Amino acid sequence: MQLVRMMAQKRISILADNKFISKRGEFRSIGLCLLFTVFGFLGCKNVDKKSPFMVFHYNEDESVTTLDPAYVKSQSEIWIVSQIFNGLVDLSPQLQVVPALSDHWEISEDKKIYTFHLRRDAQFCFPDFGGKVTHRRVNSRDCAFSLSRIADPKSASPGAWIFADKIDSNLSQVFVPLNDTVFQIHLLRPVASLLNLLATNYGFIVPIEYKSTEKSVLARNPIGTGPFYLKRWEEQIKLVLRKNDIYHEKDSAGISLPYLDAINVSFVKNKQTAFMQFLAGTYDFFNGLESSFKDELLTTDAQLKPKYNERLKTLITPFLNTEYIGCYLGDQPGQVNYLQDVHLRRALELSVDRKAIVRFFRNGLGTPGEYGFVPPQLNPNQNSELTDSNTHSKQDAKVEFALSEYSKMKVKPVITLSTTADYLDMMVYLQEAWSRIGINIKVDIQTGGMLRQLRNEGKLMLFRGSWIADYPDAENYLACFYQKFLSPNGPNYTHFVDADFDALYEAIESGGSKDRLDDIFRANLRLMSQVPVIPLYYDKSIRLIQPWVEGLQNDAANRLVLKRVTIKH
C-alpha cells in the first residue's frame, strides 16, 4: 500500500505539469460512468440482428488513406486490404507459410532462386461503377509487376525494405515470368525469411493493368483476388466490401468461401463512443481495450467479469509485441552516459517485477518478459534456464548496482525515463522500484510522435518502447540490435554494438546457420546478458465478440481473417 500511495503522489506531481492530461482523465472518468450506465440498460435490449444477408460490422478508429497494398502501413489499412488481395503465399493460424496464389514452389540448391507455380483458378475481380463485375485469371506477369513495383525506388513504397540488399537493381532479372503459371525470384544471396516477407501485405499481387493507372486512383480502387472486393467507400464515414462470388478457396466440405455476404467498416474516431456502440450491438466485434475499460470488464487474470459473461465472448491470444524499456548506449555529447555500464543496466532489469506489472497494469493481458526480447513463440529453443537468471531479485539488483560506477557518485545524477501519457502509471511504478536501490529516475512525458523522433535521434536515455513483428520470424526482433541498423537509419534505437551478436544475426538472416534455432536462442541470450533493453512483457490481444458471431479467430500476428466467419440469425 505504501508503494501504491507513493506512485499516486508521483503521478499527481508529474501531471501537475500538464493540465490537459489531468483534465482529460477527469472527463474520461465521467464518460466511463455514463458508458457503463447505458450498457446496463442495453444489456436488457434484444438487439435485432436478423437480415436476409450476413454482414459483418466493425469500427476503425484510425484513418484509412489508401487501399493500395504497396503503400498501406497501419493495422487499419492492412486489415481491409487483406480481405481484398492475396499473395503468392499466406500464413496459417500457427503462422507457418502455406500456399495462396502459388500452390507450390521450389527453392534452388544454393537458396537463391525461388520458383512459384500459380494456381489456375484464382481470378482478379474488376468491379465497375454500374455494379457489374468482370474477372481475369492471375498470371506470372502480374506477379512480376507487383513485386517489381515494391522494389522499384521510383515507387517509394514503404515496403521496399523487404527486398533491400537482397536483389539486383535490374528488376527484370529478379522477378521473372517463365510462362503464364510459373514465376521466379532471383536473389543475390540466400534470405532465410523470404517466404515470410512475401506473406506480408507488400507481397500482395495486383493486376498488371495497374501499370498505366495513377497512384491516387489505385489508392481508392483496389483490384485483387481476395474473398471480398470494394463496393463503396465514403472516406472517414463508411467502407463496404462485398463477397467475391468466384473466390477460389473452399472449406473442408467443399463449400465456397467466404460465408459472409459483406463487411461494413465504420470510422468512429472516439474509442469510448465506438465501444458504447459495440455494447449496443452496432458492431460485431471490438478489438483491444483502453486502460480505462480494462478494470470494469476484466479481472486481474484477464477473465471477463461475471456480469458480462452472458453478453459477450472474449478471444485472448498471445500477440507478437514485446513491450520494453530501451537503454541508449551511444555517446552523449557533454555528459557521461551511465547506461553504458552493463552493471547499472542489470541492476535496472533485476529490480523490475514483471509479474506485478502484468497483473496490476495489464489485468493479466500479457506474459512477463522473462525470456528476452524475442517472444517465446519465435524462440522454441528457449527453456526454463532463461528465467532462472532473470527473475525479479532485489538482492541481485543491489549487487549489480554496487558494481556500477553510478553507485559511487555521492550525488546520484538524474536518469530520464521518457514515455507517453498512456503508460505513465507503469513508468511511475518503475521509477519507485528503481529509486529503492538508489537510482535517481525522472519520468518525462512526450507525445508519441515526439518520443519516436527523439528516440531515433539518440536523444533519450531510457525510453518505453514496443516492437510489433513485421513478419513472424525472430530475425525481425534481432534486427533491432544489428550494428548496421543503427538509428536513424534503422531500428537499432539503443545503439547496441556487439561483434558476437552481429555474427549470429548474419548467420540467422542469411540461412547460413547449421542450426538456425540454436543461433536464435544464443543471439537472444547474448542480448539478455548485455541488457540493451529491459523486456517488460509480451503482449496479448483481446477481442470482444458478440454472441451471434461464429468462426472469428485470431493469431499471434493479430490478423483479421473474415472468410470463415458467419453471423447466426
Side-chain angles (χ1 to χ4, degrees):
M1 286 301 294
Q2 181 183 0
L3 180 57
V4 172
R5 283 194 296 269
M6 292 174 67
M7 285 171 53
Q9 291 170 356
K10 285 284 187 181
R11 188 179 193 279
I12 292 169
S13 174
I14 294 168
L15 288 177
D17 296 329
N18 193 326
K19 295 181 180 179
F20 170 73
I21 295 176
S22 182
K23 287 293 183 183
R24 186 178 65 179
E26 294 175 17
F27 294 143
R28 176 181 293 175
S29 299
I30 295 170
L32 281 175
C33 292
L34 176 62
L35 187 154
F36 288 106
T37 300
V38 171
F39 183 45
F41 292 107
L42 293 175
C44 303
K45 181 180 177 181
N46 182 18
V47 180
D48 184 9
K49 297 296 290 185
K50 293 182 179 180
S51 166
F53 301 104
M54 284 198 295
V55 181
F56 186 86
H57 297 79
Y58 78 94
N59 184 67
E60 276 294 357
D61 53 57
E62 299 290 337
S63 296
V64 171
T65 59
T66 179
L67 296 180
D68 184 341
Y71 298 98
V72 301
K73 293 186 290 184
S74 67
Q75 176 182 272
S76 58
E77 294 170 341
I78 292 171
W79 275 7
I80 295 172
V81 299
S82 64
Q83 316 305 325
I84 301 172
F85 295 93
N86 297 114
L88 290 167
V89 295
D90 198 1
L91 297 175
S92 71
Q94 295 74 38
L95 303 186
Q96 300 299 309
V97 175
V98 295
L101 293 180
S102 170
D103 57 21
H104 67 285
W105 55 86
E106 297 103 26
I107 304 173
S108 64
E109 189 173 345
D110 65 2
K111 300 179 182 179
K112 293 194 290 187
I113 301 175
Y114 286 66
T115 303
F116 297 91
H117 300 266
L118 304 185
R119 60 187 303 155
R120 297 173 182 269
D121 57 350
Q123 299 190 53
F124 289 111
C125 183
F126 293 84
D128 64 20
F129 293 107
K132 183 180 178 181
V133 178
T134 57
H135 303 90
R136 175 177 72 72
R137 196 172 80 180
V138 179
N139 62 58
S140 59
R141 292 181 297 279
D142 300 310
C143 300
F145 166 71
S146 300
L147 300 183
S148 296
R149 190 166 170 258
I150 300 296
D152 189 347
K154 295 178 182 177
S155 298
S157 167
W161 61 270
I162 72 170
F163 295 118
D165 301 322
K166 302 176 180 71
I167 59 175
D168 190 83
S169 59
N170 184 351
L171 299 181
S172 65
Q173 301 298 312
V174 175
F175 306 111
V176 182
L178 299 183
N179 58 44
D180 274 0
T181 60
V182 183
F183 168 69
Q184 284 187 337
I185 298 178
H186 293 250
L187 303 173
L188 292 174
R189 56 181 177 79
V191 178
S193 58
L194 180 68
L195 292 174
N196 273 314
L197 292 169
L198 292 176
T200 68
N201 58 282
Y202 299 121
F204 286 159
I205 302 303
V206 301
I208 198 168
E209 286 86 342
Y210 266 36
K211 191 172 185 178
S212 58
T213 308
E214 290 291 331
K215 176 180 172 182
S216 59
V217 175
L218 300 179
R220 298 190 60 83
N221 297 275
I223 305 298
T225 59
F228 300 90
Y229 66 89
L230 180 65
K231 177 66 177 178
R232 175 185 172 192
W233 183 11
E234 297 177 56
E235 201 161 343
Q236 308 296 342
I237 299 174
K238 178 185 289 190
L239 184 147
V240 178
L241 303 177
R242 290 290 299 273
K243 176 179 181 175
N244 178 1
D245 289 322
I246 64 158
Y247 184 59
H248 51 271
E249 279 194 86
K250 294 179 171 57
D251 66 14
S252 58
I255 299 172
S256 294
L257 299 175
Y259 303 133
L260 294 170
D261 293 296
I263 301 169
N264 189 317
V265 184
S266 301
F267 295 96
V268 176
K269 300 303 179 186
N270 185 287
K271 290 185 179 182
Q272 290 188 11
T273 300
F275 189 64
M276 187 183 296
Q277 291 175 343
F278 164 73
L279 295 177
T282 302
Y283 306 125
D284 293 308
F285 100 112
F286 195 87
N287 182 64
L289 281 178
E290 279 195 312
S291 57
S292 53
F293 300 153
K294 288 201 301 291
D295 291 338
E296 170 63 26
L297 290 168
L298 300 178
T299 64
T300 56
D301 57 354
Q303 299 297 311
L304 199 63
K305 289 186 175 179
K307 62 181 176 179
Y308 300 111
N309 267 333
E310 295 181 2
R311 305 172 184 177
L312 302 172
K313 296 187 291 185
T314 58
L315 185 61
I316 296 174
T317 311
F319 179 28
L320 293 178
N321 173 30
T322 299
E323 296 283 340
Y324 67 94
I325 301 297
C327 307
Y328 183 70
L329 308 183
D331 292 331
Q332 294 182 323
Q335 60 180 315
V336 177
N337 183 358
Y338 291 96
L339 293 173
Q340 291 177 339
D341 186 338
V342 68
H343 295 294
L344 182 61
R345 301 198 301 273
R346 288 172 181 165
L348 288 166
E349 181 187 31
L350 290 166
S351 303
V352 176
D353 189 341
R354 297 174 173 90
K355 291 183 176 67
I357 287 175
V358 169
R359 183 176 183 185
F360 296 114
F361 294 100
R362 295 286 301 162
N363 290 76
L365 286 177
T367 301
E370 297 171 346
Y371 300 95
F373 192 69
V374 178
Q377 300 97 314
L378 301 181
N379 187 13
N381 281 10
Q382 59 84 17
N383 55 50
S384 59
E385 291 180 9
L386 279 180
T387 60
D388 290 345
S389 61
N390 285 77
T391 49
H392 177 59
S393 171
K394 291 181 181 179
Q395 188 57 43
D396 290 343
K398 290 178 180 178
V399 170
E400 290 290 346
F401 179 71
L403 293 172
S404 70
E405 291 301 316
Y406 181 90
S407 68
K408 299 175 176 59
M409 304 293 293
K410 289 184 178 179
V411 178
K412 299 297 185 286
V414 172
I415 297 177
T416 302
L417 169 61
S418 298
T419 183
T420 55
D422 292 346
Y423 289 84
L424 177 59
D425 288 345
M426 192 184 298
M427 297 306 104
V428 170
Y429 176 80
L430 292 177
Q431 179 188 33
E432 289 301 324
W434 290 334
S435 70
R436 288 173 178 242
I437 62 169
I439 304 174
N440 187 5
I441 298 290
K442 174 188 175 183
V443 176
D444 176 50
I445 300 175
Q446 298 285 349
T447 64
M450 182 56 68
L451 188 143
R452 288 188 292 273
Q453 179 182 327
L454 294 173
R455 176 202 64 190
N456 294 350
E457 295 172 353
K459 295 180 179 179
L460 301 180
M461 301 174 74
L462 292 172
F463 56 89
R464 192 214 64 83
S466 60
W467 186 263
I468 300 174
D470 297 302
Y471 54 98
D473 193 304
E475 168 197 312
N476 188 226
Y477 284 82
L478 299 174
C480 297
F481 307 96
Y482 186 44
Q483 183 175 359
K484 292 183 180 179
F485 295 157
L486 295 178
S487 63
N489 301 314
N492 188 345
Y493 307 123
T494 63
H495 280 218
F496 175 72
V497 176
D498 185 277
D500 292 338
F501 173 86
D502 286 349
L504 286 168
Y505 174 79
E506 288 167 1
I508 292 164
E509 193 270 344
S510 67
S513 301
K514 291 183 180 179
D515 186 337
R516 190 170 189 263
L517 291 180
D518 185 60
D519 281 351
I520 288 170
F521 171 82
R522 291 196 293 138
N524 190 56
L525 199 61
R526 182 66 180 167
L527 294 176
M528 294 178 71
S529 70
Q530 297 303 303
V531 202
V533 294
I534 302 167
L536 300 177
Y537 59 90
Y538 313 109
D539 207 356
K540 289 183 180 179
S541 64
I542 180 169
R543 292 181 175 180
L544 300 176
I545 305 168
Q546 299 289 7
W548 52 79
V549 176
E550 296 182 342
L552 181 62
Q553 299 299 321
N554 199 5
D555 57 35
N558 198 27
R559 298 180 300 163
L560 184 63
V561 180
L562 295 177
K563 59 190 175 186
R564 298 179 186 273
V565 170
T566 60
I567 304 295
K568 181 173 62 179
H569 295 308

